Amino acid sequence: MLYIIGLGLSDEKDITLKGLEAIKASERVYLESYTSILPHVSCESLSRFYEKDVIIADREVVESNSDEILRNAGSVNVSFLVVGDPFGATTHTDLVIRAREMNIPVEIIHNASILNVIGACGLQLYNFGQTVSLPFFTETWKPDSWYVRISENRKIGLHTLVLLDIKVKEQSLENLARARKIYEEPRYMTVSQAANQMLEIEDLRNEKVYSPDTMAIGVSRIGSRDQKIVYAALKELAQADIGPPLHSIVLPGSRCHEMEIQYLEAYRQH
């Protein structure tokens, strides 16, 4: 059996009982390490808590060498651990498809993810529109397809969850071109960086989708004991420091219920 197990968003204790039982029954346990992180725990801590050696599975392993993860999973139990919920990233869907092609039984064990825990900011989940991802800009690459999705949401009054980029075990263009296995330091986009990039694209496109005065919500380490939620104008979030990763931004839509607005006021920057 291949188990794909959600870990939740905070630490080793967020695992479900069903997930923990599956891990303990597994011969090999992999931790997907590049679409998200647990802010309060290391791989070593997970190994101690689960009483199993946890093998780091980076992007290269999962996307290019998944056969190793699936090796003999038709005859022994293998666990693949995912921060949040298993279906928070398309990579994990691909792993399920590959397992099915090899006639390997698959069981999905779900957990909390950013897509439902973001309700902690007070906005109703059923009033959210399309979720978008905001990548790190470079001097020569500033993609803005996400801007169109935000525009579509705002036209019909829906909230937008903006997921912020992380870079783990990435290579520079030079090292990639020279096939050198040298990796950059991990980077996690902050609310401040994201707000600045969003305002930069608004300046360039000038379609009035939002403005520096548009109220938005910055969140960090959501779902953890030390989570932080800040309600402020985008121009204020562009200067804000809300601590260690992971960060996200929410743009509230015009359909905000009075109760949603009342709840948000507790997080307003003064």
Side-chain angles (χ1 to χ4, degrees):
M1 177 77 74
L2 172 67
Y3 293 104
I4 303 186
I5 303 169
L7 297 182
L9 297 173
S10 180
D11 57 34
E12 68 273 24
K13 294 182 180 179
D14 280 353
I15 188 77
T16 64
L17 287 175
K18 184 183 290 186
L20 185 58
E21 288 173 354
I23 290 171
K24 289 184 176 296
S26 293
E27 183 172 287
R28 298 193 309 281
V29 180
Y30 295 91
L31 172 65
E32 186 266 87
S33 66
Y34 63 92
T35 60
S36 191
I37 60 167
L38 287 174
H40 296 293
V41 67
S42 65
C43 183
E44 292 74 21
S45 297
L46 291 179
S47 294
R48 287 193 298 271
F49 186 78
Y50 301 146
E51 298 178 341
K52 287 281 183 177
D53 288 335
V54 176
I55 305 164
I56 292 288
D58 59 24
R59 184 187 297 274
E60 185 177 347
V61 169
V62 177
E63 295 185 349
S64 304
N65 195 25
S66 60
D67 287 347
E68 172 56 26
I69 295 172
L70 298 174
R71 176 176 52 84
N72 73 350
S75 55
V76 302
N77 292 328
V78 175
S79 285
F80 183 75
L81 312 182
V82 179
V83 175
D85 186 78
F87 289 134
T90 53
T91 296
H92 312 134
T93 306
D94 182 64
L95 189 63
V96 172
I97 292 171
R98 289 185 57 80
R100 288 173 176 168
E101 290 172 347
M102 298 170 67
N103 295 315
I104 296 169
V106 178
E107 182 173 341
I108 309 298
I109 301 176
H110 294 283
N111 210 320
S113 79
I114 183 64
L115 296 176
N116 64 314
V117 176
I118 196 62
C121 71
L123 299 182
Q124 299 295 322
L125 292 178
Y126 50 75
N127 283 335
F128 276 80
Q130 303 167 88
T131 297
V132 303
S133 296
L134 184 63
F136 278 111
F137 288 175
T138 69
E139 291 184 3
T140 58
W141 187 67
K142 296 181 179 181
D144 60 1
S145 58
W146 49 269
Y147 181 88
V148 178
R149 306 283 85 79
I150 293 177
S151 176
E152 291 170 348
N153 286 345
R154 291 181 70 77
K155 283 176 182 176
I156 55 176
L158 297 179
H159 313 315
T160 303
L161 171 60
V162 184
L163 302 177
L164 309 188
D165 201 3
I166 74 172
K167 297 289 187 186
V168 178
K169 205 176 180 182
E170 297 277 339
Q171 292 175 274
S172 67
L173 290 176
E174 180 182 355
N175 287 326
L176 193 61
R178 296 176 181 271
R180 295 187 298 210
K181 297 290 186 180
I182 300 173
Y183 300 100
E184 306 287 291
E185 286 293 313
R187 290 188 295 150
Y188 307 96
M189 186 183 291
T190 65
V191 158
S192 173
Q193 290 170 315
N196 277 293
Q197 288 191 180
M198 290 171 67
L199 292 173
E200 181 178 351
I201 294 301
E202 180 57 62
D203 282 343
L204 290 172
R205 298 189 60 139
N206 196 30
E207 295 176 21
K208 307 293 191 294
V209 171
Y210 48 80
S211 75
D213 293 317
T214 296
M215 296 300 291
I217 307 158
V219 303
S220 61
R221 302 171 305 286
I222 196 77
S224 301
R225 293 181 304 277
D226 64 342
Q227 70 179 23
K228 187 161 187 179
I229 302 173
V230 173
Y231 181 49
L234 275 174
K235 64 185 179 184
E236 295 170 322
L237 289 182
Q239 305 297 323
D241 178 1
I242 60 172
L246 293 170
H247 292 193
S248 301
I249 285 180
V250 178
L251 284 179
S254 60
R255 290 189 189 179
C256 267
H257 187 274
E258 180 181 330
M259 189 175 295
E260 291 177 280
I261 296 171
Q262 182 181 353
Y263 197 101
L264 279 175
E265 284 299 319
Y267 303 118
R268 183 185 283 273
Q269 285 282 79
H270 295 290

